[in-house]
């Protein structure tokens, strides 16, 4: 009986050692894969930034730094669709169609000739 307990203890210890070695090996290989993945993600991000082009919206370029709030609202006047309303520090606003990004409303006198005709 004493020998059976010793053999059983030896088997359990061997299983723990083998299991630990396998776990360590699996963790090490995962770390290597993670490093490769993170490196490729970083490289992809760098490529994206290098190839990025920045479009300047001539309607809002003079007020971009003065933006206080942007929100998307339902277009009740048209009865359908949505528009993006941009509110500026000076209290003025501009409204853009969310599908076409066309200027559809503005509180600025300088924008009135750019708005679509209501006729």
């Amino acid at each position: 009986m004493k020998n059976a307990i010793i053999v059983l203890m030896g088997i359990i210890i061997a299983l723990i050692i083998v299991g630990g070695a396998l776990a360590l090996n699996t963790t090490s290989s995962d770390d290597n894969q993670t490093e490769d993945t993170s490196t490729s993600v970083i490289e992809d991000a760098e490529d994206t930034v290098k190839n990025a082009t920045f479009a300047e919206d001539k309607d809002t370029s003079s007020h971009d730094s003065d933006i206080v709030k942007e929100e998307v609202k339902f277009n009740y006047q048209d009865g359908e669709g949505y528009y993006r309303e941009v509110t500026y520090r000076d209290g003025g606003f501009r409204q853009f169609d969310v599908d076409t990004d066309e200027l559809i409303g503005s509180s600025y006198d300088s924008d009135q000739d750019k708005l679509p005709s209501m006729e």
Side-chain angles (χ1 to χ4, degrees):
M1 181 75 167
K2 202 177 209 185
N3 288 338
I5 293 175
I6 293 175
V7 170
L8 186 59
M9 293 282 284
I11 292 173
I12 291 173
I13 291 173
L15 286 174
I16 291 174
I17 292 172
V18 169
L22 287 174
L24 183 62
N25 188 20
T26 304
T27 304
S28 296
S29 65
D30 284 349
D31 287 343
N32 291 338
Q33 290 174 356
T34 303
E35 289 175 18
D36 293 340
T37 304
S38 64
T39 302
S40 68
V41 169
I42 292 170
E43 289 171 355
D44 289 345
E46 287 174 348
D47 289 342
T48 302
V49 170
K50 286 178 187 174
N51 297 328
T53 57
F54 298 97
E56 185 174 315
D57 184 357
K58 53 187 165 187
D59 293 334
T60 61
S61 61
S62 62
H63 294 281
D64 281 345
S65 61
D66 295 333
I67 292 175
V68 175
K69 176 174 62 171
E70 279 190 54
E71 57 186 330
V72 175
K73 297 181 175 182
F74 181 74
N75 191 344
Y76 288 103
Q77 184 175 359
D78 196 31
E80 64 181 3
Y82 291 87
Y83 64 94
R84 177 174 51 96
E85 184 172 89
V86 180
T87 306
Y88 299 93
R89 185 176 300 150
D90 64 3
F93 66 88
R94 288 193 173 105
Q95 298 167 331
F96 300 90
D97 184 282
V98 293
D99 296 326
T100 63
D101 208 33
E102 177 185 352
L103 182 66
I104 59 171
S106 176
S107 65
Y108 295 104
D109 290 335
S110 60
D111 289 340
Q112 298 308 307
D113 62 333
K114 300 172 188 160
L115 295 173
S117 173
M118 296 301 287
E119 297 173 6

